[in-house]
Amino acid sequence: MSKLKIALTKGRTEQQVVPLLEKSGIDCSGLRDKQRRLIFDEDENFEIILVKGQDVLTYLNNGTVQIGIVGSDILEEQGNYQYQMLDLNVGRCRFVLASGKNFDPSASKRKIIATKYPNITRNYFKRIGEDVEIIRIEGSVELAPITGLADAIVDIVETGTTLKENNLQIYAKLQPVNTRVVVNRLGLRQQKKQIYNFINQLQQANEKFSEVVK
Ligand code: PRP
């Protein structure tokens, strides 16, 4: 039987999901001491690859992996709502509109908004009936209003530390975000039993985890 392949979003998601994977019985010893490695095949039933969140669906849709673990922010931005099998109680954060203390959200001038999430930003301003210019930024979005590149940002906030340390404040709370498990359609047909077993085990670990954090 071939191993199930999982594309796991590296960074914060990885740190929060690895304990859940371990609780579901998957050997993650390689991930615990990974250095610069990107592929982990210590477990006899699973192979885990570490990828950037934006690339998870590329690996999944291409069939290179059967399972992806990725934030709902990325799924929503990339417009993919298919085959989401499980919501995990980790990676909880929220989209916000933020800027410095002089920002006036009700000002009538056409605002410039910097973001890593142009589609989510466009949809938000469309919903509230405001026309804005969107500038796409790849990272450290908080710099945009400070340097004058943009009037405000739409970004995700988890602990709020980054906003606070850069003297930015929240002007509107948008939708919440959490980590999702997504499955490749063909993989689900070909390795149905293995995938459902994995989802069930992960769900149980997730429930135990949420009891602990309650
Ligand atoms: C995300 C987000 C904020 C930060 C918020 O960035 O874009 O910058 O986390 O987290 P906090 O509320 O806990 O401070 P990430 O760390 O993914 O880095 P990036 O900006 O390089 O994408």
Side-chain angles (χ1 to χ4, degrees), residues 10 12 52 54 73 93-94 116-117 137-142 153-164 166:
K10 64 178 167 187
R12 263 193 248 208
K52 280 201 85 148
Q54 289 84 344
D73 54 328
C93 46
R94 181 175 283 283
K116 286 185 274 188
Y117 302 92
I137 293 281
E138 294 301 332
S140 304
V141 187
E142 291 82 3
I153 59 174
V154 167
D155 198 18
I156 48 175
V157 167
E158 188 175 10
T159 62
T161 312
T162 315
L163 287 184
K164 203 171 159 206
N166 291 290

Side-chain angles (χ1 to χ4, degrees), residues 45-92:
N45 299 315
F46 295 91
E47 180 179 299
I48 298 169
I49 65 167
L50 281 185
V51 299
K52 280 201 85 148
Q54 289 84 344
D55 296 331
V56 168
L57 290 181
T58 307
Y59 282 94
L60 192 81
N61 293 336
N62 178 270
T64 310
V65 300
Q66 291 79 42
I67 293 166
I69 302 181
V70 62
S72 58
D73 54 328
I74 287 167
L75 296 174
E76 202 180 330
E77 177 64 23
Q78 295 186 349
N80 186 308
Y81 301 96
Q82 288 188 332
Y83 291 91
Q84 295 187 35
M85 303 283 286
L86 196 57
D87 272 32
L88 299 177
N89 291 311
V90 295
R92 288 183 179 279

